[in-house]
Amino acid sequence: MPNSNSKIHRGGQEAGRRELVSRSLQSAQHCLEDQDFGTAYAHYLLVLNLAPELKTSVKETFQFTLFKWAEELDSLARIQDLFNCYEQALELYPDDEVICNSMGEHLFRMGFRDEAAGYFHKAVKLNPDFADAKENFYRVANWLVERWHFIMLNDTKRNLTYLKAIESAVRSGCKSVLDIGTGTGILSMFAKKAGASLVYACELSKTMYELARDVVAANNMERKIKLLHLKSLDIEIPKHIPERVSLVVTETVDAGLFGEGIVESLIHAWEHLLLQPK
């Protein structure tokens, strides 16, 4: 009898769940007809949490509701509520490139360009053919990547000078390398190709960090270079790198030398991250 009662209880719970889901779906549709997007969104959240098996069938309607509600929240300057809605949506649909792209667009309009780039980049990773996300990512990258960086990358003489200097250092015994402000990762790849056993690279900008990951992977070095999304001043031994390195390289020396705290970073690297001469 206990088993029979248990089955009846579970059956009653399941029937109650189905009834609640059905009513919530109907209420959501009525709210959409009345353009009450906030209440409709709340109903869809309830439905998707109670019946995750419906994720595929209600996905497009849920996206529409989310975007309409987000527009209202944006117009009301309810920014935290807007972000909370997107976080809830991404918990339900973590691999949805459309939601990622939309989140990035809101962040970009609010001035959070580095964070926006991260969402655009994720959207492109999820769907390389997603034209809107690619356009958004390239647009925000143009805001974040200074023009001198492109000039520098195409400066063959400068790059060869760096390459020869790194090769010379590695040949003289510098087998572990830290690249501060790696950008696209070019100096890290120089170090690895020169024969360095261990290569670490840190980059504070989320956009440049993601770009470096792509460039390093495209050169089949993702397992040979450890990329850190960190400010060099925050690198700790052995938390981030196992021990002091024998060579520090950087391309951050430009007109912004003092304003960007590069001197402080290099002093920190010398005192805490670089092997001291005997």
Side-chain angles (χ1 to χ4, degrees):
M1 290 299 293
N3 287 337
S4 177
N5 290 335
S6 178
K7 289 180 180 178
I8 292 173
H9 179 68
R10 286 198 298 270
Q13 284 185 324
E14 178 60 22
R17 183 186 74 90
R18 288 198 299 266
E19 177 66 18
L20 182 55
V21 168
S22 176
R23 289 189 177 187
S24 293
L25 281 172
Q26 291 175 9
S27 296
Q29 287 299 318
H30 291 317
C31 289
L32 287 178
E33 291 170 4
D34 295 335
Q35 297 189 346
D36 182 359
F37 300 113
T39 307
Y41 176 76
H43 280 299
Y44 277 118
L45 281 184
L46 177 62
V47 167
L48 290 168
N49 279 287
L50 287 174
E53 67 273 13
L54 297 179
K55 282 184 178 180
T56 301
S57 60
V58 304
K59 180 178 177 179
E60 289 188 8
T61 311
F62 175 76
Q63 287 176 341
F64 172 81
T65 306
L66 167 66
F67 300 155
K68 286 294 186 181
W69 179 225
E71 287 177 7
E72 285 192 23
L73 292 173
D74 193 7
S75 67
L76 296 169
R78 292 171 56 183
I79 306 307
Q80 190 57 56
D81 289 335
L82 185 154
F83 288 152
N84 288 341
C85 285
Y86 273 97
E87 287 175 3
Q88 293 167 338
L90 287 170
E91 285 180 8
L92 293 165
Y93 296 97
D95 296 326
D96 189 294
E97 69 274 16
V98 178
I99 295 177
C100 285
N101 183 64
S102 181
M103 175 66 157
E105 289 176 338
H106 280 286
L107 286 165
F108 184 78
R109 284 197 294 271
M110 294 173 191
F112 300 107
R113 291 167 181 160
D114 208 18
E115 293 84 352
Y119 281 97
F120 294 145
H121 186 264
K122 182 179 180 181
V124 173
K125 283 288 189 181
L126 289 167
N127 182 1
D129 297 323
F130 190 5
D132 287 350
K134 286 197 291 187
E135 181 179 345
N136 283 333
F137 180 69
Y138 294 140
R139 177 163 57 108
V140 75
N142 282 333
W143 279 93
L144 292 169
V145 181
E146 293 86 348
R147 289 293 178 267
W148 59 260
H149 199 89
F150 294 106
I151 298 171
M152 181 181 67
L153 286 173
N154 288 284
D155 188 338
T156 303
K157 183 178 179 181
R158 174 191 174 100
N159 293 337
L160 285 176
T161 301
Y162 267 106
L163 175 60
K164 290 177 180 178
I166 291 171
E167 286 177 338
S168 176
V170 172
R171 281 196 302 267
S172 68
C174 296
K175 297 299 183 182
S176 56
V177 180
L178 171 64
D179 180 5
I180 294 178
T182 191
T184 59
I186 187 170
L187 297 189
S188 296
M189 291 187 290
F190 283 171
K192 197 62 195 178
K193 287 181 179 179
S197 303
L198 301 169
V199 180
Y200 310 98
C202 65
E203 175 57 55
L204 180 59
S205 165
K206 178 68 173 175
T207 304
M208 294 308 300
Y209 168 75
E210 295 291 354
L211 286 173
R213 287 182 61 185
D214 287 346
V215 172
V216 168
N219 285 273
N220 299 314
M221 291 189 181
E222 64 270 29
R223 295 183 180 179
K224 300 175 182 178
I225 297 172
K226 183 176 180 181
L227 287 166
L228 303 167
H229 181 213
L230 284 172
K231 190 176 182 180
S232 63
L233 293 171
D234 295 330
I235 296 176
E236 298 178 17
I237 297 173
K239 182 178 179 181
H240 301 113
I241 61 177
E243 58 188 7
R244 288 174 178 255
V245 297
S246 52
L247 177 65
V248 171
V249 297
T250 183
E251 265 188 312
T252 48
V253 181
D254 71 331
L257 176 64
F258 297 100
E260 295 180 8
I262 301 306
V263 171
E264 183 183 3
S265 296
L266 293 176
I267 291 173
H268 174 78
W270 171 261
E271 294 178 345
H272 301 285
L273 306 175
L274 188 66
L275 285 171
Q276 299 300 308
K278 296 179 180 181

